[in-house]
């Protein structure tokens, strides 16, 4: 058991690393090609953005300095080598190492995405449990309202929801600031809610659906027949079944949060990866864009691993050794 | 003929008088009286829809399980001396598990697949944190004891496993262990053997018999009269929410007074296939030679493999009905798939109408697929839930769905129904109609009646007889020899992937040569002597 266990674990680590490497190479390639094939000249980024008035000598010098005079395929290989050696190069526009830019902007986005994911899960769980366990006429009516709310929430676009929240809670009620101040938790509230609400609607539908199914499953009936209270049935049996599908989709959800963060950071004037990406893309600052996208892709890989571990913890059926032997 | 018992003068463990349960305006139980004493087994039988399952749940205050709120009223409702008329949810919780245990039909669904057997069995001990649990052995020991009493070998190993790793019979035993761990004086069993194959069911019934002999009162809800004959002392026949007949088991099963009881008994698949035999051609329609199929076992590498079918020869003649019987795991399903050419054999070959069948690429088989049709075991899962019956039959190639429905004795109104809204018997008829749509020469039926109650079973078997009389050959795969005997001309007995016996059904029935056949026969005889004691 232990020998094969070690081998299985080593195999898993190798597979995961291989997957991460593939993701990095593929995303770096796609981003590089997309930026270069979209037209425009990255040397403009070096010289102060599109429409710069630099003379031909300055342009030639900049091209030589950043290797932009090489054929495209050589530029691509250089970029790829840089990414794989974790040397992301210097920003064309800002003349600072890309890694410095990323370390400065990453925490703000990570905090926003994680608080949003957490808030979305809290709302989704609360709504699902309330809607499923509601009793009596009033309770069932409330459950119907919650169900409708989930659907509406899940289709709200971030830019619209963010704008409404700013108008209501910042401009009118003055409860929370509309713009970000570093180190101020209050300024995190509206961006977090903007990102969390649509995701909560989506996760809530998933959790409620599977919770309703689990609550009417024979094993829940059996648990009640053993004298288990509704709380115990929920805590020990049904909730675990109910969160499984939503946990599996949380990796995907985190990705949607990062893309949402691009909109929300611009809307609320927050620093962050999203903001950095938008600015760098506009001026074709290739190293920054490639670096930021690769970091996001790596975050995806890490999250997929976390989700896998969570699934294994929640669902023992997936663990090796406990596998079902098909009874044909 | 009353079975004498020493404790009849004591107060019954379960006493119910004038029990009424209704959902909204629909009254499902309409004034039911029941008494079960310690060490006694009362069986509640009746056709589907009689209110049996609602009764079982009502006795634990769970009548409203599954949605609609239920109204329960009774003149008497006493369990182990406790008056439970108008009991609140909180009161019921103290009774459940400790004074009355519940065992449901489907043990795979009734045990939480994410939790270990130990956690499931111990649950009752954790919920009833009062006298029953305190002052006695620690939880682990009580769980092990319950598993051992439920007849599980190696209770320590089983306790650490999850339901998915256990066989059907072991799961049912684990479920029973979870119901008896707190030693409740009353056990309510809702179809405890229906999902099991015959030999495993016989073992579980023997276990229930031992529990009864040890003093537990059993209330057995079932449509399986064979199970009733084995362990019940008395029988209550339920129809339409009322008890229409009650009496000692032997009397009710041999001299039924009420029409419903007679109907249930008459519907038992008993006796040989009625003559005259239909015209059976001599030419072979489907033949398999030297069939062998192995499957790799997960996690065992290339060398670990299980041989599911091991050198089997089969022939089906035109218009003939062939039965394939065996316990679960004997290779029935694999053989079926090989015959249908849904899978390729590792060795051997299947021929259809003396032409290659299993050896052909699927593209060349497709044109002849219509000649063999399958009626799958899980009929509901095989139908698109969003299509009505008319659409389902059209998709199968029927030009006139209503005429096809008439052929399986269903009215034209069924054409507009959705599969989920049909009863089990209706669904089976629709599945047969669908299989007949392309006018096949051979129908392969996988456990066509195992999920149905006896009255519905009889109807389906009669229908299949008509199908055969019209010239279609049948291959009937079943674990129930009685069903096969009722319908088939020849039978093939499988065990561990090999044919252990083959011949005319009546010969095999009267003079079984192999041990496996004898075991299947013993398990199949529906109303025989009581095997429990």
């Amino acid at each position: 058991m232990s020998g094969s266990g070690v081998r299985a674990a080593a195999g898993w680590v190798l597979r995961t690393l291989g997957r991460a490497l593939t993701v990095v190479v593929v995303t770096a390639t796609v981003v590089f090609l997309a930026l270069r094939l979209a037209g425009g000249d990255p040397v403009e980024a070096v010289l102060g953005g599109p429409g710069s008035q630099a003379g031909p000598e300055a342009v030639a010098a900049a091209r030589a300095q950043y290797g932009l005079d090489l054929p495209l395929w050589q530029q691509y290989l250089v970029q790829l080598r840089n990414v794989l050696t974790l040397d992301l190069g210097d920003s064309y526009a800002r003349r600072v190492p890309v890694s410095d830019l990323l370390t400065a902007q990453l925490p703000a986005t990570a905090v926003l995405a994680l608080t949003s994911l957490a808030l979305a899960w809290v709302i989704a769980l609360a709504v699902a449990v309330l809607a499923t366990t509601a009793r009596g006429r009033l309770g069932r009516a409330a459950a119907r309202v919650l169900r409708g709310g989930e659907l509406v929430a899940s289709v709200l676009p971030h830019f619209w929801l963010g704008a409404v929240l700013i108008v209501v809670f910042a401009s009118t009620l003055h409860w929370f600031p509309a713009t970000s101040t570093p180190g101020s938790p209050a300024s995190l509230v509206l961006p977090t809610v903007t990102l969390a609400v649509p995701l909560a609607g989506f996760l809530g539908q998933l959790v409620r659906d599977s919770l309703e199914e689990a609550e009417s499953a024979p094993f829940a009936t059996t648990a009640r027949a053993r004298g288990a209270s509704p709380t115990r049935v929920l805590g020990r049996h049904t909730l675990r079944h109910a969160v499984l599908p939503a946990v599996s989709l949380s990796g995907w959800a985190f990705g949607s949060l990062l893309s949402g963060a691009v909109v929300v950071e611009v809307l609320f004037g927050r620093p962050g990866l999203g903001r950095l990406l938008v600015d760098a893309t506009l001026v074709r600052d290739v190293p920054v864009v490639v670096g930021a996208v690769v970091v996001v892709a790596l975050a995806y890989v890490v999250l997929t691993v976390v989700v896998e571990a969570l699934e294994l913890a929640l669902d023992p059926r997936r663990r090796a050794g406990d596998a079902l032997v098909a009874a044909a | 003929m009353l079975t004498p018992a020493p404790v009849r003068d004591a107060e019954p463990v379960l006493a119910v008088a004038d029990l009424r349960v209704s959902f909204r305006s629909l009254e499902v139980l309409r004034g039911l009286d029941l008494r079960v004493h310690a060490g006694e087994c009362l069986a509640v039988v009746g056709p589907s829809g009689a209110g049996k399952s609602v009764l079982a749940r009502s006795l634990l205050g769970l009548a409203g399980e599954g949605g609609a709120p239920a109204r329960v009223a009774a003149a008497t409702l006493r369990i182990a001396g406790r008056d439970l008329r108008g009991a609140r949810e909180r009161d019921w919780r103290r009774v459940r598990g400790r004074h009355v245990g519940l065992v449901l039909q489907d043990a795979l669904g009734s045990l939480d697949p994410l939790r270990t057997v130990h956690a499931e069995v111990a649950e009752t001990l954790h919920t009833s944190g009062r006298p029953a649990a305190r002052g006695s052995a620690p939880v682990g020991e009580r769980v092990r004891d319950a598993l051992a009493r439920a007849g599980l070998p190696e209770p320590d190993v089983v306790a650490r496993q999850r339901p998915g790793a256990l066989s059907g019979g072991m799961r049912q035993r684990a479920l029973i262990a979870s119901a008896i761990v707190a030693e409740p004086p009353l056990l309510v069993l809702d179809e405890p053997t229906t999902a099991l194959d015959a030999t495993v069911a016989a073992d579980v019934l023997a276990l229930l018999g031992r529990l009864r002999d040890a003093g537990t009162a059993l209330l057995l809800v079932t449509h399986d009269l064979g199970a009733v004959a084995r362990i019940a002392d008395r029988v209550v026949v339920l129809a339409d929410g009322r008890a229409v007949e009650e009496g000692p088991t032997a009397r009710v099963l041999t001299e039924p007074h009420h029409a419903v009881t007679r109907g249930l008994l008459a519907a038992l698949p008993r006796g040989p296939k009625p003559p005259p035999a239909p015209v059976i051609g001599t030419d072979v329609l489907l033949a398999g030679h030297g069939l062998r199929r192995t499957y790799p076992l997960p996690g065992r590498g290339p060398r670990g493999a299980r041989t599911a079918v091991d050198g089997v020869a089969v022939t089906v003649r035109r218009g003939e009905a062939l039965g394939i019987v065996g316990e679960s795991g004997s290779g029935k399903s694999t053989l079926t798939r090989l015959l249908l050419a849904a899978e390729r054999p590792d060795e051997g070959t299947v021929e259809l109408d003396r032409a290659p069948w299993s050896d052909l690429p699927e593209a060349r088989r497709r044109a002849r697929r219509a000649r063999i049709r399958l009626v799958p075991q899980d009929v509901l899962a095989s139908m698109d839930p969003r299509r009505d019956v008319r659409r389902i039959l059209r998709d199968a190639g029927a030009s006139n769905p209503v005429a096809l429905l008439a052929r399986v004795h269903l009215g034209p109104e069924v054409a507009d129904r959705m599969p989920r809204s049909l009863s089990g018997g209706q669904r089976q008829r629709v599945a047969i109609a669908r299989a007949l749509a392309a006018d096949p020469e051979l129908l392969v039926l996988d456990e066509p009646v195992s999920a149905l109650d006896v009255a519905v079973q009889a109807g389906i078997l009669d229908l299949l007889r008509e199908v055969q009389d019209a010239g279609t050959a049948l291959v009937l795969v079943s674990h129930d020899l009685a069903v096969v005997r009722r319908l088939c001309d020849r039978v093939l007995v499988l065990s561990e992937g090999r044919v252990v016996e083959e011949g005319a059904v009546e010969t095999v029935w009267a003079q079984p040569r192999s041990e496996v056949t004898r075991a299947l026969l013993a398990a199949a005889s529906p109303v025989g002597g009581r095997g429990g004691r």
Side-chain angles (χ1 to χ4, degrees):
Chain A
M1 166 65 207
S2 67
S4 69
V6 168
R7 217 168 329 129
W12 178 82
V13 169
L14 281 180
R15 267 200 310 281
T16 307
L17 285 178
R19 207 162 52 178
L21 195 69
T22 315
V23 166
V24 166
V25 170
V26 169
T27 46
T29 306
V30 168
V31 170
F32 179 85
L33 288 178
L35 276 180
R36 295 309 301 267
L37 297 181
D41 192 341
V43 81
E44 289 178 349
V46 181
L47 297 169
S52 83
Q53 303 294 315
E57 295 85 35
V59 171
R63 275 195 207 285
Q65 186 191 343
Y66 287 92
L68 293 171
D69 51 349
L70 299 170
L72 197 59
W73 63 271
Q74 281 189 16
Q75 290 184 39
Y76 165 69
L77 287 182
V78 169
Q79 183 73 58
L80 199 59
R81 188 199 63 206
N82 287 351
V83 168
L84 291 178
T85 53
L86 297 180
D87 166 21
L88 296 172
D90 288 354
S91 158
Y92 295 165
R94 308 196 195 193
R95 318 280 168 105
V96 290
V98 171
S99 46
D100 290 1
L101 284 174
L102 291 178
T103 41
Q105 305 295 327
L106 189 61
T109 303
V111 166
L112 180 61
L114 289 176
T115 50
S116 302
L117 187 60
L119 180 63
W121 261 102
V122 169
I123 299 175
L125 281 177
V127 168
V129 169
L130 284 177
T132 312
T133 55
R135 294 282 173 274
R137 212 138 57 110
L138 203 68
R140 279 200 294 279
R144 266 198 296 279
V145 172
L146 284 177
R147 255 170 250 186
E150 279 170 4
L151 189 66
V152 173
S154 65
V155 298
L156 286 181
H158 291 131
F159 68 86
W160 184 86
L161 181 60
V164 169
L165 289 177
I166 288 175
V167 168
V168 175
F169 293 99
S171 311
T172 311
L173 294 170
H174 299 290
W175 287 1
F176 302 104
T179 52
S180 155
T181 354
S184 149
S187 69
L188 191 61
V189 172
L190 292 185
T192 300
V193 172
T194 306
L195 277 179
V197 165
L199 184 57
F202 173 77
L203 291 178
Q205 290 181 47
L206 272 178
V207 175
R208 183 177 48 75
D209 252 19
S210 35
L211 186 59
E212 279 168 4
E213 198 185 311
E215 282 281 319
S216 59
F219 66 77
T221 302
T222 307
R224 281 187 273 270
R226 296 182 190 127
S229 64
T231 323
R232 190 183 165 94
V233 172
L234 198 66
R236 303 275 173 138
H237 296 271
T238 53
L239 205 51
R240 204 163 153 194
H241 288 262
V243 298
L244 272 173
V247 164
S248 304
L249 279 175
S250 277
W252 170 86
F254 191 72
S256 86
L257 282 179
L258 288 176
S259 67
V262 175
V263 174
V264 167
E265 280 166 5
V266 173
L267 191 65
F268 288 88
R270 284 179 59 83
L273 268 191
R275 193 62 190 276
L276 184 71
L277 251 175
V278 171
D279 292 349
T281 310
L282 287 177
V283 298
R284 295 182 213 302
D285 195 343
V286 180
V288 174
V289 178
V290 170
V293 170
V294 164
V295 165
V296 169
L298 280 177
Y300 249 121
V301 172
V302 170
L303 216 85
T304 313
V305 171
V306 171
V307 164
E308 238 173 63
L310 263 177
E311 283 176 338
L312 287 183
L314 282 169
D315 189 350
R317 288 171 297 185
R318 287 166 182 255
R319 285 173 218 158
D322 215 53
L324 267 175
V325 178
Chain B
M1 283 261 309
L2 259 169
T3 318
V7 282
R8 283 298 181 276
D9 45 342
E11 196 199 348
V13 176
L14 172 71
V16 174
D18 197 25
L19 176 65
R20 290 166 185 278
V21 178
S22 50
F23 298 91
R24 299 234 164 79
S25 56
L26 179 71
E27 202 172 28
V28 177
L29 292 180
R30 319 194 218 178
L32 200 60
D33 301 343
L34 296 172
R35 298 166 86 77
V36 190
H37 287 84
E40 184 189 34
C41 175
L42 173 69
V44 177
V45 300
S48 338
K52 302 190 299 275
S53 287
V54 171
L55 168 66
R57 284 165 169 72
S58 302
L59 297 178
L60 287 100
L62 291 169
E65 272 305 274
R71 263 205 322 281
V72 181
T76 312
L77 181 52
R78 295 176 73 78
I79 295 175
R82 266 149 222 276
D83 187 353
L84 290 160
R85 281 174 306 171
R88 297 149 64 94
E89 173 64 18
R90 181 180 283 278
D91 307 324
W92 271 115
R93 244 179 266 153
R94 279 197 286 269
V95 174
R96 292 178 198 149
R98 278 198 297 158
H99 301 293
V100 51
L102 176 67
V103 176
L104 290 176
Q105 168 179 353
D106 164 25
L108 181 58
S110 300
L111 291 167
D112 190 334
L114 297 182
R115 308 180 81 214
T116 60
V117 169
H118 172 92
E120 286 289 277
V121 175
E123 183 152 50
T124 306
L125 302 177
H126 294 303
T127 56
S128 57
R130 293 204 321 167
R134 204 179 298 162
S136 44
V139 170
E141 221 159 281
R142 298 189 66 187
V143 169
R144 190 176 329 125
D145 174 59
L147 290 171
R149 273 192 292 145
L152 280 162
E154 299 187 85
D156 288 319
V157 177
V158 172
R160 284 197 303 272
Q161 286 177 303
R162 269 167 249 276
L166 304 179
S167 71
M170 285 168 84
R171 251 181 249 143
Q172 194 70 34
R173 286 170 190 277
L175 185 63
I176 291 173
S178 88
I180 61 173
V181 68
E183 298 178 31
L186 173 65
L187 208 53
V188 175
L189 306 126
D190 189 358
E191 304 281 4
T193 54
T194 311
L196 304 174
D197 73 37
T199 42
V200 178
D203 285 351
V204 168
L205 287 174
L207 159 66
L208 293 177
R210 286 197 297 279
L211 286 173
R212 174 202 56 196
D213 295 344
T216 308
L218 303 183
L219 185 104
L220 174 69
V221 169
T222 185
H223 68 248
D224 179 1
L225 289 181
V228 171
R230 271 159 203 268
I231 66 161
D233 299 281
R234 285 184 303 122
V235 183
V236 171
V237 182
L238 210 59
D240 213 10
R242 285 200 187 85
V244 294
E245 178 158 6
E246 181 175 359
T249 305
R251 201 277 294 152
V252 172
L253 294 185
T254 50
E255 307 160 38
H257 294 167
H258 196 275
V260 171
T261 321
R262 280 197 291 273
L264 287 172
L265 283 165
L268 276 175
R270 218 171 5 176
K273 175 175 180 162
V279 192
I280 298 170
T282 46
D283 54 335
V284 173
L285 179 61
L286 187 75
H289 311 288
L291 295 174
R292 194 180 149 84
R293 182 81 174 98
T294 57
Y295 294 104
L297 284 173
R300 298 270 181 87
R303 266 171 305 162
R306 204 172 61 82
T307 305
V309 167
D310 193 1
V312 170
V314 189
T315 52
V316 185
R317 285 191 285 276
R318 231 169 252 291
E320 173 188 48
L322 172 72
I324 297 178
V325 295
E327 295 174 26
S328 49
S330 59
K332 301 191 297 281
S333 305
T334 306
L335 181 58
T336 311
R337 285 198 295 272
L338 293 178
L339 293 180
L340 288 164
E343 243 174 66
R344 217 173 256 261
D346 295 329
E347 283 170 32
T349 175
V350 182
E351 290 178 346
L352 177 64
D353 220 357
R354 296 172 196 281
W357 177 241
S358 64
D359 294 340
L360 292 180
E362 180 60 27
R364 291 183 51 203
R365 267 198 298 258
R366 206 162 293 136
R368 291 200 293 158
R369 277 260 174 233
R371 302 173 69 174
I372 301 191
R373 279 286 187 245
L374 169 73
V375 177
Q377 182 168 15
D378 190 348
V379 167
L380 185 59
S382 74
M383 294 179 183
D384 186 336
R386 289 175 197 278
R387 297 200 165 174
D388 59 19
V389 169
R390 187 188 312 274
R391 237 349 243 298
I392 288 170
L393 294 178
R394 281 247 159 83
D395 289 349
S399 50
N400 188 348
V402 172
L404 199 55
L405 285 175
R407 208 176 147 196
V408 295
H409 307 292
L410 289 174
E413 72 283 354
V414 174
D416 297 317
R417 305 263 299 270
M418 304 306 267
R420 201 167 275 284
S421 75
L422 299 173
S423 73
Q426 285 174 324
R427 254 178 232 154
Q428 197 68 38
R429 285 174 191 272
V430 170
I432 292 170
R434 180 180 57 176
L436 291 176
D439 232 343
E441 289 159 69
L442 173 64
L443 219 53
V444 178
L445 303 120
D446 192 1
E447 299 282 3
V449 296
S450 64
L452 305 173
D453 76 39
V454 281
V456 182
Q457 258 187 27
I460 297 290
L461 292 177
D462 287 346
L463 169 63
L464 290 174
R465 184 78 207 283
E466 291 174 23
V467 169
Q468 192 201 355
D469 288 349
T472 310
L474 304 176
V475 171
L476 182 80
V477 180
S478 176
H479 63 252
D480 192 343
L481 253 176
V483 167
V484 168
R485 183 186 182 210
R486 169 93 166 234
L487 193 66
C488 295
D489 310 289
R490 276 192 315 126
V491 64
L492 203 94
V493 182
L494 281 185
S495 176
E496 291 173 6
R498 292 168 184 277
V499 178
V500 292
E501 186 150 2
E502 185 179 4
V505 167
E506 281 315 305
T507 318
V508 172
W509 182 270
Q511 297 157 329
R513 277 171 298 140
S514 97
E515 206 48 55
V516 178
T517 318
R518 272 193 284 275
L520 284 167
L521 272 175
S525 52
V527 181
R530 283 176 49 166
R533 284 189 175 164

